[in-house]
Amino acid sequence: MEDAVRFELLGPLRAYRGLQELKLGPARQQAVLATLLLAANHAVPASDIVDQVWGDDPPENGANVVQKYVAGLRRILEPERLPRAAGQLLALTPGGYLLSVAAGGVDLDVFTAHVTEARRLRALGHLPEATVELRSALVLWRSEPLAGLTGGYFEAMRTQLAEDRAAALEEWAELELEQGREQTLLPELSRLVAEYPHRQRLRATHLLALHRTGRQAEALASYQQAQQLHGGRPGPELQAAHRQILLNERPVPVFHTQQPMSWWPDSTPQRSPGWTGWILKLVVAALAVATMGIASGPLMGVLALRRRSWKLALAALGYLLATVVFFLIVDKRYDSEDFVFVDGVALAALLLTTVGAGIHAAVLVPLRTPVAESPRVMVDLNSAPEQVLRTLPGVPPLLGALIIAERNARGPFRSLEDAAARGMFPWPVPRQIADVVLVIPVQDAPKEERR
C-alpha cells in the first residue's frame, strides 16, 4: 500500500508515509514508539513500556503518561482516524499496546530477512546470490541504531544490533574471500578490523586476504596483534588462518570445510636405503626365519618404539602371541603322526612369525631418513637464531621469523606446551618437530615445565 507507514531503526528513528517523513514528536514519545517497534506485532504492557523508556526513574502515573504519548503517536501515524475510533495501526489490546506493521515495514526486519536468506543460499553453495543478499542487508545501516534514544534498555538493544551487524559483515567478508576477491576486499577489510579489533572471524579473513595478496609479513603482524588482544588464546578460525600462512599455501577456503585438514603433514622426503640398507633388510628377514619366529615379536616391538607407532606395537603383540601358539601346539602334538586341524594352525602361526614377520620387518628397515640428513642436534627455541630455525625439518620457513617475533614480544618460551599455546605449533607437537626442538626455560622457571 502506498500510504503504509515505514519505519527505520538502523540509525535515528524515522517514519515515512510514502516519500514523506513524519515528525515523531518529543524524545520520550519517540522512545515509546521505538519500544513498540522492537516488539512489532506483539502487545507490550504499559508497565513494560515504562520500564524500558524511563528505567529506574519512572514518572508518577506511568500508565497515564504512556497513554498520552500513544495518543500523540496515533495522531501522527493515523491522522484520518476519528477521535474516539479504535486505532488500526496502534491499538490497545488486553495484553497491552500493539503496533501493527506490514511485512517489510521496519528496516530491522528487512535486514534480518536478508541475512537469513544469505545463510540459506550459502549453505546451498550459491555464493554470488548470498553475497548480494548480505550487501542488501548491510546497506540498510545508516548509522548507530536507535541513535539519540537514551537509557539502559536502548543501550542493550544497540549492543545486540551491533553484534548482528558485525556477524553479517564477517559472513560478507568470508564470501568475498571465497570468491577470490581478496584484492578489492582488503581496503574495506582493514577498516573493519580497526573498527572491530576483537572479532576473530573478521581478523582471520583479514589474515588470509593479506596472505593471498603476498603480504605475509603484514599478516603475521596482524596475527601477533590479535594474540595480544585475546591474551595469547586465539580461537580456531585465527589458528587455522595462521597455519595456512605458515605453510605458505593458497588453500581452499577454510570456512565451512567438510573434512578436517592436516596442517602439519609428515612429508619429509625419503631416500633409497642404499646397499647397506639392503644388507640390513636381509639380516632382519633371516633373523625371523633362523629363530623360528622367536625374534619377530621383540624385533617389531623395537621398531614400534623407534617409530612411536601403536599399530606396530599391536603387530609386535600379534607376532608374539602367534609364536606362543606355535610352540604350545608343537609341545602337545610332538609325538602325533596324523595331521589334524591344530597342526594347520601351528603351521600358519609358524609361517606368520617367520616369513610374514621377516618381510614386514625388512620393509620397515632401515628407518626412514631424510634426503639431506644432518647430524642429530637439538635446537633451543629460546636461543636459536632465525637462520637455524628456518632449516629445521618439519618447520615452515616463515615460522622461524614468527618464533623470533613472539620471543621478542612476549619473552622466552617456558616449554613446548607454552610454545604451542602461543600459536607456534599445534598440540601435540608433531613428531618431526619434537625430535629436534627443545625449550631451555629461563632460570626461574619451575622444574616441572622443563622438557
Side-chain angles (χ1 to χ4, degrees):
M1 296 176 59
E2 294 184 359
D3 59 348
V5 180
R6 295 178 293 104
F7 300 94
E8 294 181 353
L9 294 171
L10 303 179
L13 177 62
R14 292 177 181 172
Y16 294 87
R17 179 178 288 107
L19 298 177
Q20 179 186 3
E21 182 176 356
L22 305 179
K23 296 182 179 180
L24 298 176
R28 292 294 190 190
Q29 184 166 294
Q30 293 187 38
V32 171
L33 175 59
T35 299
L36 294 171
L37 280 173
L38 289 169
N41 300 313
H42 293 83
V44 183
S47 58
D48 288 356
I49 297 176
V50 171
D51 291 340
Q52 292 164 5
V53 172
W54 283 273
D56 296 331
D57 188 24
E60 294 183 6
N61 301 319
N64 292 336
V65 176
V66 169
Q67 184 180 21
K68 181 187 74 171
Y69 285 134
V70 168
L73 290 171
R74 282 173 171 163
R75 286 192 293 271
I76 296 168
L77 301 177
E78 301 178 89
E80 297 179 0
R81 184 182 65 89
L82 296 177
R84 295 186 178 276
Q88 299 298 315
L89 188 62
L90 178 52
L92 177 62
T93 70
Y97 291 102
L98 186 148
L99 179 61
S100 299
V101 181
V106 183
D107 58 354
L108 176 57
D109 292 341
V110 178
F111 167 81
T112 303
H114 279 306
V115 172
T116 301
E117 178 64 8
R119 289 170 179 165
R120 185 188 72 83
L121 291 169
R122 187 182 185 185
L124 295 174
H126 304 320
L127 303 188
E129 294 86 348
T131 306
V132 170
E133 290 290 337
L134 282 174
R135 288 174 180 167
S136 300
L138 292 167
V139 77
L140 295 171
W141 288 72
R142 296 174 286 115
S143 61
E144 181 183 56
L146 305 169
L149 300 180
T150 59
Y153 172 70
F154 295 113
E155 287 297 331
M157 291 305 301
R158 263 191 289 273
T159 300
Q160 179 59 55
L161 292 173
E163 173 69 23
D164 294 341
R165 176 176 182 262
L169 285 167
E170 287 174 336
E171 295 196 49
W172 167 77
E174 291 172 6
L175 282 167
E176 293 285 351
L177 188 67
E178 289 174 10
Q179 295 171 84
R181 300 186 185 129
E182 54 270 9
Q183 194 69 51
T184 56
L185 174 66
L186 258 178
E188 177 64 11
L189 196 53
S190 298
R191 187 192 67 78
L192 290 173
V193 168
E195 182 180 351
Y196 299 100
H198 294 279
R199 304 291 300 194
Q200 296 205 38
R201 284 177 65 189
L202 202 58
R203 176 81 66 163
T205 307
H206 185 232
L207 294 181
L208 291 175
L210 287 169
H211 168 56
R212 295 183 187 184
T213 52
R215 298 161 64 178
Q216 282 80 2
E218 293 176 64
L220 292 174
S222 182
Y223 179 75
Q224 287 288 323
Q225 182 184 19
Q227 272 199 314
Q228 294 172 4
L229 288 172
H230 296 284
R233 296 181 178 274
E237 296 94 351
L238 268 177
Q239 291 184 33
H242 176 227
R243 288 168 186 159
Q244 290 184 17
I245 295 168
L246 295 182
L247 291 174
N248 200 23
E249 295 179 346
R250 182 187 172 92
V252 295
V254 300
F255 309 104
H256 308 290
T257 52
Q258 298 299 314
Q259 296 180 352
M261 300 179 70
S262 174
W263 304 110
W264 296 85
D266 186 5
S267 56
T268 305
Q270 309 299 314
R271 73 176 185 189
S272 172
W275 67 270
T276 54
W278 288 113
I279 291 177
L280 181 57
K281 289 178 180 291
L282 291 174
V283 169
V284 168
L287 183 63
V289 176
T291 61
M292 297 185 67
I294 295 175
S296 298
L299 176 61
M300 197 58 61
V302 171
L303 292 174
L305 289 174
R306 293 291 301 275
R307 294 291 185 88
R308 302 180 185 180
S309 169
W310 63 268
K311 293 182 180 180
L312 291 182
L314 290 178
L317 181 61
Y319 290 135
L320 183 61
L321 290 176
T323 302
V324 171
V325 168
F326 169 72
F327 281 103
L328 285 177
I329 294 175
V330 168
D331 182 61
K332 291 184 177 181
R333 298 282 298 166
Y334 182 74
D335 295 327
S336 177
E337 296 182 357
D338 54 333
F339 187 87
V340 295
F341 175 75
V342 291
D343 296 325
V345 173
L347 180 59
L350 178 62
L351 291 173
L352 176 65
T353 56
T354 54
V355 178
I359 295 173
H360 191 177
V363 169
L364 295 174
V365 297
L367 296 178
R368 295 173 294 177
T369 54
V371 173
E373 190 172 8
S374 57
R376 178 84 166 188
V377 177
M378 300 294 287
V379 174
D380 175 25
L381 284 185
N382 283 334
S383 62
E386 181 180 347
Q387 58 267 32
V388 173
L389 294 172
R390 290 171 64 91
T391 63
L392 294 178
V395 177
L398 283 176
L399 183 57
L402 185 62
I403 290 173
I404 298 296
E406 176 71 13
R407 205 166 67 190
N408 293 337
R410 300 177 58 195
F413 301 102
R414 295 174 296 169
S415 63
L416 273 185
E417 291 87 346
D418 179 44
R422 287 157 70 172
M424 300 300 102
F425 309 114
W427 187 258
V429 177
R431 186 189 68 222
Q432 68 266 36
I433 296 175
D435 282 347
V436 295
V437 169
L438 56 77
V439 172
I440 300 177
V442 292
Q443 292 182 356
D444 59 347
K447 290 183 178 179
E448 61 269 20
E449 291 183 354
R450 300 187 180 184
R451 185 180 181 274

